[in-house]
């Protein structure tokens, strides 16, 4: 019986070490994936704009105005 308590303590320690490694890695992954979320939203908005222009729903001036607003780089 005494041998099992040693294994249990070792398993408990390994689980804590895995948690201490996995938590920071998960946090880094989460922050990294959030920073790229804005890029995909902007790309999809531009794709929708191009589709509307191709279908003839908006004219040249409207397309150029909206595209300029979507693609400008003003530090946002």
């Amino acid at each position: 019986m005494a041998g099992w308590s040693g294994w249990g303590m070792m398993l408990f320690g390994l689980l804590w070490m895995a948690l201490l490694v996995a938590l920071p890695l998960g946090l880094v992954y989460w922050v990294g994936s959030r920073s790229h979320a804005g890029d995909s939203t902007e790309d999809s908005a531009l794709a929708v704009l191009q589709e509307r222009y191709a279908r003839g729903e908006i004219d040249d001036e409207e397309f150029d105005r909206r595209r300029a607003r979507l693609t400008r780089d003003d530090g946002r």
Side-chain angles (χ1 to χ4, degrees):
M1 259 339 227
W4 285 105
S5 67
W7 283 104
M9 288 179 63
M10 187 170 62
L11 180 62
F12 188 72
L14 287 174
L15 288 174
W16 269 109
M17 285 194 300
L19 180 66
L20 290 175
V21 169
L23 193 62
L25 289 177
L27 185 63
V28 167
Y29 175 76
W30 179 69
V31 168
S33 66
R34 285 178 45 108
S35 67
H36 296 295
D39 297 340
S40 64
T41 303
E42 191 171 297
D43 292 342
S44 65
L46 189 57
V48 169
L49 180 64
Q50 290 169 339
E51 288 174 14
R52 290 187 64 199
Y53 179 69
R55 286 192 299 254
E57 294 178 10
I58 57 175
D59 61 0
D60 294 340
E61 292 175 15
E62 183 72 12
F63 175 76
D64 290 337
R65 184 179 65 81
R66 290 184 183 202
R67 183 187 52 176
R69 188 165 189 184
L70 284 172
T71 57
R72 78 172 163 210
D73 186 21
D74 59 353
R76 278 192 275 168

